[in-house]
């Protein structure tokens, strides 16, 4: 006798499919600053309350990144550079120079696809694994941190980062130096308004994914930004010195509650 399909079977399959999609796309809501500040303080880049983590995305770029390395040397500051695997293979000498000058190299992904580009967990794992391998081969270090392009952390990317031993970290304040008409003073002021003690700053050491020469705005903003932090009694450095704990909690101490600058 032929079995009659249950009328609830299609509904059950649909519910499973929806649950899978929600599990993959849902975590991307952490892109919203209020969400991650409230629920995921370590993902927001919150570390030791007397330290500011300085990070750069989208490099390395043989045309622009060396200027940042020279500026950071003059300021006696080390930073974390979230690199793209494809860019690293295009500028391996610059990637090696990052490490030689004492900076930290982290994973930003293989390339910088639009956040709405179709993504799947297997593809996320392949691309993150490929970038980790590139960093290890070119720079001779094992990366520790992961920041997805555009800050869109899907469930697949989160799982892939965990599998590769990477800790996802977004940012607490960004300069938005790619906005048309942005100025160095405006970038420094914007970061200062959004940053608190223990925060993580996002800038870009290349204009690979933004308007032409926007990196120059970020470069000119660096001295004012670092000086502002130091005047408030904060140290500025890479994520490895930021004190983000394994559990994701912030180290003890009093967090500054007002704007930095």
């Amino acid at each position: 006798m032929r079995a009659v399909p249950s009328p609830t079977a299609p509904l059950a399959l649909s519910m499973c499919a929806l649950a899978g999609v929600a599990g993959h796309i849902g975590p991307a809501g952490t892109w919203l600053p209020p969400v991650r500040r409230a629920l995921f303080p370590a993902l927001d880049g919150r570390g030791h309350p007397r330290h500011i983590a300085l990070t750069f995305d989208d490099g390395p770029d043989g045309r622009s990144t060396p200027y940042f390395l020279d500026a950071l040397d003059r300021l006696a500051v080390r930073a974390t550079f979230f690199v793209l695997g494809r860019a690293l293979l295009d500028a391996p000498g610059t990637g090696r120079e990052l490490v030689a000058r004492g900076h930290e190299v982290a994973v930003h992904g293989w390339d910088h696809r639009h956040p709405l580009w179709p993504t799947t967990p297997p593809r996320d794992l392949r691309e993150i694994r490929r970038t980790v391998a590139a960093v290890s081969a070119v720079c001779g270090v094992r990366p520790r941190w992961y920041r997805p392009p555009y800050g869109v952390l899907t469930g697949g990317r989160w799982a892939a980062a965990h599998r590769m031993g990477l800790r996802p970290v977004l940012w607490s304040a960004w300069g938005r130096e790619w906005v048309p008409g942005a100025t160095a003073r405006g970038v420094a002021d914007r970061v200062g308004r959004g940053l608190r003690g223990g925060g993580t700053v996002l800038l870009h050491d290349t204009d690979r994914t933004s308007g032409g020469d926007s990196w120059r705005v970020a470069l000119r903003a660096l001295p004012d930004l670092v000086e502002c932090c130091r005047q408030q009694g904060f140290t500025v450095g890479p994520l490895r010195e930021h004190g983000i704990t394994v559990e994701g909690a912030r180290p003890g101490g009093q967090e500054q509650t007002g704007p930095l600058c």
Side-chain angles (χ1 to χ4, degrees), residues 4-256:
V4 178
S6 169
T8 61
L11 177 60
L13 290 174
S14 296
M15 293 299 292
C16 288
L18 287 173
V21 171
H24 181 57
I25 302 299
T30 56
W31 183 86
L32 299 169
V35 173
R36 64 176 184 266
R37 273 198 300 267
L39 302 179
F40 303 96
L43 185 60
D44 192 50
R46 197 181 309 170
H48 194 282
R50 302 309 300 173
H51 186 265
I52 300 296
L54 180 61
T55 70
F56 295 90
D57 281 8
D58 294 1
D61 187 327
R63 181 176 63 98
S64 56
T65 302
Y67 287 99
F68 287 86
L69 299 183
D70 290 343
L72 291 167
D73 276 350
R74 290 191 294 270
L75 294 166
V77 170
R78 297 296 171 260
T80 299
F81 287 79
F82 284 86
V83 302
L84 297 171
R86 188 184 299 277
L88 183 61
L89 296 188
D90 287 342
T94 305
R96 287 189 288 270
E97 189 70 11
L98 288 172
V99 177
R101 297 214 198 180
H103 301 287
E104 185 177 34
V105 180
V107 170
H108 195 35
W110 182 250
D111 51 23
H112 209 280
R113 289 175 175 159
H114 191 276
L116 297 182
W117 182 272
T119 178
T120 64
R123 180 186 292 132
D124 292 334
L125 178 58
R126 283 196 306 271
E127 295 189 351
I128 292 176
R129 176 183 284 144
R130 190 179 183 188
T131 307
V132 169
V135 170
S136 298
V138 173
C139 302
V141 298
R142 176 76 182 185
R144 179 181 178 186
W145 312 100
Y146 171 63
R147 176 181 292 156
Y150 301 100
V152 177
L153 187 61
T154 61
R157 288 172 176 170
W158 206 318
H162 178 74
R163 184 165 176 180
M164 295 306 301
L166 302 174
R167 178 66 177 272
V169 175
L170 300 185
W171 60 87
S172 308
W174 57 355
R176 293 176 59 85
E177 65 275 11
W178 68 88
V179 173
T183 64
R185 184 65 259 171
V187 167
D189 288 346
R190 182 178 295 109
V191 170
R193 288 194 301 270
L195 195 61
R196 307 292 185 269
T200 293
V201 176
L202 164 60
L203 297 173
H204 297 79
D205 58 308
T206 174
D207 57 11
R208 178 177 284 106
T209 61
S210 60
D213 284 348
S214 60
W215 63 269
R216 297 182 186 276
V217 179
L219 181 67
R220 290 194 294 268
L222 265 182
D224 284 347
L225 178 57
V226 171
E227 178 61 23
C228 174
C229 293
R230 287 173 170 165
Q231 285 180 355
Q232 301 297 322
F234 298 103
T235 58
V236 181
L239 281 169
R240 66 181 175 228
E241 299 173 0
H242 202 41
I244 297 177
T245 67
V246 174
E247 295 79 12
R250 178 173 56 84
Q254 294 298 313
E255 179 181 306
Q256 178 177 309

